[in-house]
Amino acid sequence: MRHRVQAVIGHSTDEAVFWLRQGEPVALPTETVYGLAAPLDRLDIIHKIYALKQRPADNPLIVHVLDCDQLQEVAQCSPKALHLAEKFWPGPLTLVLPKKPCVPDIVTAGQPTVAVRAPQTALFREVIQKIGVPLVAPSANKFQHVSPTTAHQVYRDMGDVLHYILDGGACRFGVESTILSLLDERHPQLLRYGPIAKETLETFLGQSIETVSHAPQTGAHLSPGLYKKHYSPQTPLYLVDDLANYQPSGGLRDAFAKNAAHVFLFPPERHLQKGEFVLSEHSDLQEVAMRLFAIISELDAAHYDAIWIEKAPAKDIGNAINDRLSRAAHFDLRAK
Ligand code: AMP
Ligand code: MG
């Protein structure tokens, strides 16, 4: 058993590098969510990441590089892959490509492919530069918990097992990267919705992209347990289409009314009441994404009996928001 530690939240990349050299994973800010990082060549620390997160070994990690040069050290790149990387990096686009031998099996869950991206935040990039090799970094939360978008959220979930959390403020995007597989160049596949919309990639590539559905079923009914769970708060989370006009029926009346938090994406056309929250005062989907995980995590800690939240319009980053909400939801009450 690992003895308990108490993480320090700080602003020093030197300190982060110090702990990595000591054999400890550190939490680092990216523009998507906070990551739990280890150098690609430190199997000992990578093993610790799986253990501390309680992450199943068949769930591969994303390799974070500085640029296209470092990309080519870890993956076989076609002109199309380089073209995408040059356009969208540094940024929230992860590319799945054939791996090079230097990438250990534990990172790819034994697959011959590797997922790679270049993060945008100066702090993360500085740590890669100082360490001199790419860093693997899954989100800095325990398996199936909500991804952290602030240093304090990392501390709440993992502060007792980490030594250092590098604080870069709130993550700009707030949802994990878009993942695009280029294994079959003629048929690129979207493996995860994220901040860069599928349509943006299609326009850039001049070809259509298939969405590979690990996506939860978008059902019409009360469907507890139907979803591939992820990002789950402890408090039951109900997902609805239009919260302002939602009329609960039957057994849902209590869950809707008694000690429940109601989360609007945009301001409703009336004053907010106690227990009501708005994710973006400016009706900006980007801001909704940025605040989404933080509010779920805060309300989860605030002892409500239920959290009710509405889904986003299915455009731009709205698809990523809905994907995460569906996986977090215990009950999906959306209309067909
Ligand atoms: P995260 O949990 O946010 O760190 O993201 C890691 C995710 O990236 C995994 O759960 C996979 O969905 C995806 N991923 C990583 N490596 C690969 C790979 N080689 N092939 C396909 N997907 C991958
Ligand atoms: Mg994660």
Side-chain angles (χ1 to χ4, degrees):
M1 259 300 268
R2 184 181 169 89
H3 57 267
R4 280 179 166 247
V5 291
Q6 196 173 13
V8 170
I9 298 179
H11 295 89
S12 161
T13 54
D14 281 341
E15 191 108 344
V17 168
F18 167 83
W19 282 110
L20 288 172
R21 296 211 165 110
Q22 292 291 310
E24 291 296 333
V26 292
L28 302 179
T30 81
E31 74 278 26
T32 58
V33 300
Y34 273 70
L36 189 55
L40 185 63
D41 59 358
R42 289 290 302 260
L43 292 186
D44 57 330
I45 313 182
I46 299 174
H47 277 289
K48 267 188 198 168
I49 286 181
Y50 275 95
L52 295 181
K53 275 182 65 83
Q54 294 150 22
R55 183 177 172 107
D58 63 0
N59 197 347
L61 305 177
I62 294 175
V63 176
H64 293 70
V65 297
L66 270 186
D67 50 29
C68 291
D69 286 345
Q70 225 172 32
L71 164 67
Q72 291 178 85
E73 290 169 20
V74 297
Q76 285 161 28
C77 292
S78 60
K80 189 178 279 184
L82 285 175
H83 198 42
L84 277 163
E86 274 158 13
K87 167 75 179 171
F88 293 100
W89 287 6
L93 176 66
T94 297
L95 300 174
V96 174
L97 297 163
K99 83 176 189 86
K100 288 212 171 146
C102 68
V103 181
D105 275 349
I106 183 179
V107 169
T108 66
Q111 301 175 90
T113 59
V114 63
V116 191
R117 84 175 188 98
Q120 229 167 48
T121 51
L123 290 176
F124 199 115
R125 296 174 64 76
E126 214 172 291
V127 176
I128 304 179
Q129 259 158 345
K130 286 182 178 173
I131 284 282
V133 295
L135 299 175
V136 297
S139 52
N141 55 276
K142 293 196 177 131
F143 184 59
Q144 293 192 326
H145 287 193
V146 178
S147 297
T149 55
T150 64
H152 281 280
Q153 227 183 308
V154 179
Y155 187 89
R156 258 207 313 261
D157 201 26
M158 303 200 76
D160 59 344
V161 289
L162 300 182
H163 287 266
Y164 197 68
I165 300 168
L166 185 59
D167 188 355
C171 300
R172 179 175 154 209
F173 290 108
V175 292
E176 299 83 350
S177 59
T178 304
I179 303 183
L180 183 71
S181 170
L182 289 175
L183 294 182
D184 178 350
E185 294 253 315
R186 282 170 309 161
H187 303 106
Q189 293 184 318
L190 194 83
L191 302 186
R192 179 169 73 187
Y193 285 109
I196 298 179
K198 181 170 112 154
E199 295 72 22
T200 306
L201 296 172
E202 286 180 326
T203 304
F204 180 75
L205 289 174
Q207 65 185 141
S208 63
I209 296 172
E210 179 196 4
T211 303
V212 174
S213 186
H214 302 303
Q217 189 178 329
T218 48
H221 316 292
L222 185 65
S223 40
L226 256 189
Y227 296 104
K228 186 183 160 201
K229 270 294 176 54
H230 211 130
Y231 315 109
S232 295
Q234 301 294 310
T235 315
L237 191 142
Y238 295 76
L239 186 56
V240 293
D241 259 329
D242 174 6
L243 194 54
N245 294 306
Y246 179 69
Q247 301 283 348
S249 57
L252 290 173
R253 284 199 196 101
D254 266 5
F256 191 73
K258 272 195 195 161
N259 194 32
H262 292 179
V263 183
F264 296 93
L265 303 189
F266 305 148
E269 285 168 1
R270 59 170 173 74
H271 288 299
L272 290 186
Q273 294 161 14
K274 191 166 168 276
E276 292 186 335
F277 304 86
V278 170
L279 278 167
S280 173
E281 289 295 342
H282 307 102
S283 300
D284 173 9
L285 267 189
Q286 194 79 46
E287 191 182 8
V288 169
M290 188 183 145
R291 297 194 54 212
L292 184 70
F293 286 142
I295 199 149
I296 291 177
S297 164
E298 274 163 33
L299 295 176
D300 197 24
H303 306 296
Y304 286 99
D305 292 337
I307 302 169
W308 290 75
I309 189 161
E310 61 187 352
K311 77 166 194 177
K315 58 170 191 185
D316 305 325
I317 204 168
N319 284 316
I321 292 168
N322 290 340
D323 175 67
R324 306 312 189 269
L325 281 175
S326 295
R327 289 169 205 275
H330 298 67
F331 301 97
D332 190 335
L333 306 165
R334 290 178 290 167
K336 265 202 178 97

